């Protein structure tokens, strides 16, 4: 197992080799996921459950809030399986859940679930109705005060239809986005996504500031994590943003906030890690998104794929049906810098599918 | 994988099984390496680059200060490959570089490079011209103040032509040395080495004290690390000296300094780990060197060899062409007490050679 450097140099990830990581899973629901066929990240009609189930599976290898693991209609298993498999072979030192507006609280004892009194956000084609400043400040405060006894923090997300809200957010903030955003669909349902995004963007006014824009078109995870990142730099916490284009959007939001405040960031302790499936995705371009930042960002992609597996459900990843989520790309990079064997990891993931 | 006990008992190394290690690589240049044919540890004419390249390869699996990995004329690959392979399969928790007089600073970000404002030392046949007391005190201070969050420290070296300076140092201090010193050559070029050592020893006066002798015939690594060892005992830091006859000489220097001060050392937290190739070397005798110490020292050798490899470049190790360096013996002992599989390690090393 290994990783590729998309932006920056190998040094950041290499110097974390063998070091201890806390894994934070930020779960959030935007009711955008209720728009039919907008995402395949979960069970149709029950996508609001996906982050809850992902949190349970990641922590416990079982789901409690539903009888089965979230599966998409085509049978693509949640990337939580990948992250969980890494956690079994080379455990993170600490797992915590950030509740950034879940419909259903994960049924977990002993695990820390941070409650920020955040509600699920409204469909972006209904105006999202987020108090973006408040969510941002909650993230900022959490990032500023977060104490870890580990060497670095992996910050992951589970937000069904989150690529749609991310795309809308980046576009509202004026970034070049066309063909840069991935989706959990292979045959990207651009009509539904684009019409939703366009509908959402209609509400954005020219003289809206960053937070006014985000209030109308974004999701809690994006805004909160932008605050977290800015807060974390005040104490030199090393943070790996674990995800694809959604986490890239977190950084675009950070960038816009800094621009509006004429502020600066020392981004040397922040990196982004994603999957090979995002890195090689022809329908998106994470590098092009990140190159619009005014600050450098070390960016890596795991080289892991399912070439050692014959399992048809897993092969769907290699075919582009699913690409990221639940921090699986960063988990795979973590596995790579901690001596996890590809064959053993593949078998472990297969074992979850029976 | 396993290890043999050369001196002392298995207990020290066994009690470190499963514990966390910091790996310190002390790199230094003695211009002795410019003497033609004195060492094959690197590229002829560019041996001064070897410690720089070793540091880069160990940390990053790439070299930045030269296009290729240091290879000897016969194609013996640097032992940094072995240490790096161990670091990939069972990472050290922390890697740091000690610059004890490098010509070229390793190009590393994020990794700590300790700078002691030490210059490369002069050829020993030109009198070395080291301020041994100052170098020793820098080592002493560093060892006294060094804080590790890990359970023990592996202290390794990369010093081309370092066996020559070690041999000269031990001889100048009055230890029995004949046929005890190894070299990175199989067909040990005794004429060049011995004539260099004899030329160097001509400058040593009968009434020179330990530091005066070392100033004329030694190298920075040996002197600094003797200080480090003495400093480290003040806070019970567990230290594994990672190397062969050079690290044995560090202990001989410690011994001579203690004798001159009528001091004593609690050596129970210090050990030396080396390779099978040193342990079984017919041209040297590390055990005989260490038996001249006034204090006991737990000494181990890895049992690893390239019997599982068919790669001709690696077979040269088993044929005695290369034996130690970049702490590969201690890295192999670390691998042995951390469950690394011999076949997997062999494959990993082979993968670096393409």
């Amino acid at each position: 197992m290994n990783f590729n450097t998309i932006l920056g140099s190998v040094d950041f990830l290499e110097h974390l080799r063998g070091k201890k990581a806390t894994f934070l899973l930020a779960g959030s629901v935007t009711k955008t996921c209720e728009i039919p066929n907008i995402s395949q990240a979960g069970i149709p009609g029950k996508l609001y459950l996906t982050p809850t189930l992902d949190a349970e599976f990641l922590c416990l290898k079982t789901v409690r809030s539903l009888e089965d693991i979230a599966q998409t209609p085509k049978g693509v298993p949640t990337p939580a399986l990948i992250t969980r498999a890494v956690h079994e072979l080379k455990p993170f030192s600490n797992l915590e859940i950030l509740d950034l507006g879940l419909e259903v609280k994960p049924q977990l004892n002993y695990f820390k679930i941070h409650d920020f009194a955040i509600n699920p956000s409204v469909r972006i084609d209904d105006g999202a109705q987020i108090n973006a400043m408040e969510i941002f400040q909650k993230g900022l405060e959490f990032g500023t005060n977060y104490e870890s006894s580990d060497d670095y923090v992996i910050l992951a997300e589970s937000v069904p239809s989150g690529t749609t809200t991310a795309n809308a957010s980046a576009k509202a903030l004026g970034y070049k986005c066309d063909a840069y955003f991935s989706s959990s669909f292979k045959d990207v349902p651009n009509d539904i996504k684009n019409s939703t995004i366009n509908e959402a963007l209609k509400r954005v006014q020219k003289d809206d500031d960053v937070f006014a824009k985000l209030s109308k078109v974004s999701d809690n995870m994006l805004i909160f994590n932008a605050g977290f990142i800015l807060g974390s730099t005040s104490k030199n916490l090393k943070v790996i943003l674990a995800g694809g284009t959604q986490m890239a959007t977190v950084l675009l939001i950070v960038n816009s906030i800094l621009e509006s405040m004429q502020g600066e960031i020392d981004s040397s302790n922040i990196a982004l890690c994603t999957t090979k499936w995002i890195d090689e995705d022809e329908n998106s371009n994470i590098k092009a998104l990140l190159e619009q930042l005014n600050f450098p960002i070390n960016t890596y992609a795991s080289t892991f794929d399912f070439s050692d597996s014959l399992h048809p459900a897993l092969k769907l990843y290699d075919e582009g049906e699913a690409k990221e989520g639940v921090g699986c790309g960063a988990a795979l990079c973590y596995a790579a810098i901690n001596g996890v064997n590809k064959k053993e990891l593949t078998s472990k993931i297969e074992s979850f599918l029976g």
Side-chain angles (χ1 to χ4, degrees), chain A residues 71-302:
Chain A
Q71 287 207 336
T72 65
K74 282 189 185 163
V76 183
T78 168
L81 273 68
I82 299 172
T83 309
R84 170 70 195 189
V86 170
H87 185 48
E88 291 200 11
L89 293 181
K90 177 66 194 179
F92 306 112
S93 304
N94 182 34
L95 270 186
E96 299 178 10
I97 308 300
L98 312 188
D99 179 348
L100 304 183
L102 295 173
E103 287 277 358
V104 180
K105 203 97 179 165
Q107 295 175 46
L108 299 168
N109 297 314
Y110 297 100
F111 290 89
K112 195 178 265 180
I113 303 179
H114 297 273
D115 187 339
F116 301 97
I118 296 175
N119 292 321
S121 58
V122 171
R123 284 166 62 147
I124 57 168
D125 55 355
D126 284 340
Q129 301 174 34
I130 300 168
N131 186 335
M133 180 59 88
E134 187 186 312
I135 303 294
F136 172 77
Q137 282 178 333
K138 285 180 177 181
L140 188 70
E141 190 186 354
F142 184 67
T144 306
N145 298 316
Y146 188 75
E147 299 275 357
S148 176
S149 58
D150 294 327
D151 300 298
Y152 63 109
V153 167
I154 297 171
L155 179 60
E157 58 72 33
S158 175
V159 185
S161 77
T163 52
T164 302
T165 45
N167 193 339
S169 302
K171 210 162 178 179
L173 296 175
Y175 295 101
K176 186 162 165 12
C177 298
D178 291 351
Y180 290 177
F181 273 85
S182 68
S183 152
S184 55
F185 277 103
K186 179 188 175 189
D187 302 315
V188 184
N190 268 316
D191 284 350
I192 305 159
K193 288 189 70 165
N194 282 334
S195 63
T196 303
I197 291 164
N198 290 335
E199 190 62 30
L201 291 172
K202 280 184 192 163
R203 285 191 177 74
V204 175
Q205 307 293 317
K206 254 194 176 171
D207 54 353
D208 281 350
D209 67 9
V210 174
F211 291 103
K213 287 174 181 166
L214 294 172
S215 292
K216 293 172 182 173
V217 306
S218 194
D219 68 53
N220 296 318
M221 185 282 287
L222 297 169
I223 304 166
F224 182 96
N225 282 350
F228 181 93
I229 287 297
L230 279 166
S232 73
T233 57
S234 70
K235 55 198 320 177
N236 294 321
L237 189 67
K238 289 187 173 66
V239 180
I240 289 180
L241 283 169
T245 49
Q246 290 168 261
M247 287 308 188
T249 301
V250 166
L251 292 169
L252 293 174
I253 293 173
V254 166
N255 195 63
S256 292
I257 292 170
L258 288 170
E259 270 186 346
S260 72
M261 293 162 39
Q262 295 174 312
E264 283 189 348
I265 187 175
D266 173 3
S267 56
S268 62
N269 284 319
I270 305 162
L272 186 147
C273 287
T274 189
T275 62
K276 177 180 179 177
W277 305 299
I278 289 288
D279 190 23
E280 299 187 350
D281 185 17
E282 290 177 359
N283 294 309
S284 70
N285 191 339
I286 194 167
K287 190 177 175 187
L289 286 175
L290 294 169
E291 283 174 338
Q292 297 178 71
L293 296 170
N294 294 324
F295 50 85
I297 188 87
N298 286 303
T299 307
Y300 310 97
S302 161

Side-chain angles (χ1 to χ4, degrees), chain A residues 75-77 186 277 305-322 342 346 350 353:
Chain A
V76 183
K186 179 188 175 189
W277 305 299
D305 57 27
F306 285 112
S307 55
D308 283 346
S309 176
L310 294 172
H311 201 295
L314 298 177
K315 281 303 199 188
L316 295 173
Y317 275 86
D318 289 354
E319 290 160 13
E321 290 287 349
K342 187 185 176 189
T346 304
E350 287 172 336
L353 296 167

